[in-house]
Amino acid sequence: MIHLSFGAGAHYLLLRDLVDGQSQGAIVPLPGEFKSGVHRGRFNPRDGQLYVSGMSGWGTYTTEQGCFQRVRYTGDSVQLPIGFHVHQNGVAVRFSEPLKRETAETASNHFAQCWNYQYSGAYGSPEYATRHPGLRGHDVLAIGSAHVLNDQQTLFLEIPDLQPVNQLHLRLNVASVAESSSGENNGSASGVDMFVTVHRLDEPLAEFPGYVHEPKTILPHPILSDLALATKRVPNPWQRRVPDARPLRLETGKNLTFATRTLRVKAGEALQFTLANPDVVPHNWVLVKPGSLRSVGEASNQLVADPEAFARHYIPHSDEVLFHTDIVPPGSEFTIYFRAPKEPGVYPYLCTFPGHWMVMNGELIVEADMP
C-alpha cells in the first residue's frame, strides 16, 4: 500500500503489523519528491507504473500549482523495509533484499527515538517526551544489539526500553548482499527511515545469540492517559486562599533535586506555598507524615503503570499524604494554601513523579509556636 502526502509532496510505503488482534502500522519514505501536493494515485494495469496527480490549495510545502507525474520502476535492486513486527524486547524489520551482516549487525549503525502526541479536541499536537508527560521533545532509545535472522532478510533490533508509543522512529543503515558485491548502494548507505505506531508488544523474540530474558512491565498506551486526563482530572483541594498566609517559595534544582532541602515553619501556621520549577522536566511537591517517606515514595514508583496517574498528578492513594501541588511543567509554578501541621516534628516532602523521590526529597521542620 502506498500513502501520498499532500503537505510534503511525498509518497510512503505503508506496512502493517498485528499483535494479539491489535493492528499497528509503519510508513517508510520512498525516494523522490513531487512538484505539487499529491492526493490521487493509480497503478496503470498496462505498464504497472504509478501515476499521481496533485495540486496546491491548502497546507502544502510544494512549489507548483499542480502536477501529473509518473513513478517508473527502472529494474534496479532496492533495499527497503517491507514488513515489521514489534516485540517486548525490540523490533524485527524485514527487508526487500538479503542483508549484509557486517553492516546490519553493527548496532551503532542504527538509531531509535520515540515521542507521543496528545489526544484531544485540538487539530494536531506537539511532540511530547514519553518519559515525562507534558514535556515537549523526543526520547532516544538505546539499541542493545542488532541481529540478522535466519531468513537473511530480517533485522532484529534489541531495544530493552521499548514501550507502547504514538511514534517510534528508526533510522536503519543497512546494505544488501547485492549492493556489497556490485559496489552500488542505491541510497541505503545513507540509511532508511521507518515511523512506527506501537500500540501493543508481542512476546520477546528469543531466536538470536546472547538472548537473556528480562522481566518487564508494559506501560499503558499513552492514549489511555490522555483520555483519563480529559475525563477524570482531579482538582487540587488546596487552592482556596487562607487568611494571613505567609508566602513560602521552593524552587526545584538540577539533577532531580529541590534547591532547598530544609524548610522551617511554625505549628499551625497559615502558608501560601509556591513550587517553582525552572528545571527541564516536570515535578510536584508532596508533604507526608513523619516516617512515611519510603512508603509514599515506593507507592509513587508503582504509578508508572497506572493510566490515570497523570490525571491525579502522580499522587498515590495514601492516608500518609498531607498536602501536595499539581505536577508543575518546566518553567512554571503552582501555589497552594494550607496550615502547617499542629504537631511539631520533621515532615518529609518529596516529588512523586515516578522515579524521582529517592533523590528529590527534603524536610519540613514544624517548630512549636512559642507564646
Side-chain angles (χ1 to χ4, degrees):
M1 183 177 287
I2 302 296
H3 170 68
L4 302 175
S5 170
F6 182 92
H11 61 325
Y12 307 87
L13 187 62
L14 176 60
L15 310 179
R16 304 183 193 184
D17 186 27
L18 189 66
V19 177
D20 295 333
Q22 172 65 60
S23 296
Q24 48 201 10
I27 59 169
V28 177
L30 294 171
E33 296 179 348
F34 299 102
K35 294 181 178 180
S36 191
V38 289
H39 56 94
R40 294 292 185 273
R42 295 292 186 273
F43 284 97
N44 189 327
R46 293 187 178 183
D47 60 16
Q49 295 168 9
L50 175 64
Y51 292 80
V52 301
S53 64
M55 57 174 286
S56 63
W58 73 93
T60 180
Y61 295 100
T62 52
T63 58
E64 303 295 330
Q65 292 292 325
C67 70
F68 179 59
Q69 294 179 272
R70 176 181 64 177
V71 180
R72 180 173 60 87
Y73 177 53
T74 64
D76 290 343
S77 63
V78 64
Q79 185 64 307
L80 287 173
I82 58 173
F84 75 103
H85 194 63
V86 182
H87 297 267
Q88 292 182 17
N89 58 339
V91 183
V93 181
R94 184 164 57 91
F95 281 82
S96 53
E97 300 284 341
L99 295 160
K100 182 184 178 185
R101 284 185 177 271
E102 181 180 352
T103 303
E105 292 192 331
T106 302
S108 59
N109 282 345
H110 314 296
F111 172 77
Q113 63 176 341
C114 59
W115 62 91
N116 285 327
Y117 302 111
Q118 185 176 50
Y119 183 81
S120 71
Y123 186 81
S125 168
E127 297 172 0
Y128 290 100
T130 62
R131 296 168 185 164
H132 297 285
L135 177 66
R136 297 189 183 191
H138 296 179
D139 293 316
V140 175
L141 296 173
I143 298 175
S145 60
H147 306 273
V148 176
L149 302 185
N150 291 336
D151 66 356
Q152 306 302 315
Q153 290 182 226
T154 300
L155 172 66
F156 179 71
L157 295 182
E158 187 182 18
I159 308 176
D161 294 332
L162 183 63
Q163 292 285 352
V165 290
N166 292 152
Q167 197 77 86
L168 170 67
H169 172 212
L170 300 177
R171 180 73 171 179
L172 308 171
N173 288 279
V174 299
S176 70
V177 173
E179 290 170 354
S180 300
S181 60
S182 67
E184 299 179 355
N185 61 58
N186 290 328
S188 61
S190 60
V192 295
D193 292 297
M194 284 185 67
F195 297 89
V196 187
T197 57
V198 182
H199 297 312
R200 189 165 295 177
L201 311 178
D202 207 347
E203 293 298 317
L205 182 73
E207 292 76 32
F208 62 88
Y211 168 74
V212 177
H213 177 71
E214 297 287 347
K216 183 174 184 176
T217 299
I218 305 300
L219 305 186
H221 192 282
I223 197 174
L224 299 178
S225 295
D226 291 342
L227 291 173
L229 187 62
T231 60
K232 302 179 181 178
R233 190 175 182 88
V234 178
N236 190 288
W238 293 288
Q239 289 193 279
R240 180 175 295 180
R241 293 180 180 273
V242 176
D244 302 321
R246 176 172 70 90
L248 181 62
R249 185 179 180 88
L250 176 63
E251 289 193 357
T252 61
K254 297 180 179 179
N255 300 319
L256 302 186
T257 61
F258 289 112
T260 303
R261 294 292 302 274
T262 302
L263 300 174
R264 295 181 179 273
V265 300
K266 298 296 184 181
E269 182 181 10
L271 299 170
Q272 176 187 312
F273 177 85
T274 299
L275 177 66
N277 184 20
D279 199 9
V280 297
V281 296
H283 298 295
N284 67 6
W285 180 86
V286 182
L287 186 70
V288 298
K289 294 179 180 179
S292 64
L293 174 65
R294 176 169 293 277
S295 60
V296 174
E298 290 178 347
S300 73
N301 283 348
Q302 303 303 314
L303 295 176
V304 70
D306 182 353
E308 297 185 5
F310 187 54
R312 302 200 315 270
H313 298 281
Y314 292 102
I315 304 299
H317 291 299
S318 173
D319 293 336
E320 295 172 323
V321 172
L322 297 176
F323 310 103
H324 65 82
T325 68
D326 285 1
I327 284 287
V328 183
S332 301
E333 58 184 45
F334 191 85
T335 299
I336 60 175
Y337 300 84
F338 63 93
R339 291 190 177 275
K342 295 180 180 180
E343 187 69 27
V346 178
Y347 292 77
Y349 59 80
L350 67 157
C351 174
T352 57
F353 193 99
H356 289 194
W357 76 273
M358 290 175 284
V359 291
M360 195 167 185
N361 58 71
E363 296 177 338
L364 180 76
I365 298 177
V366 178
E367 300 172 335
D369 189 10
M370 300 299 292

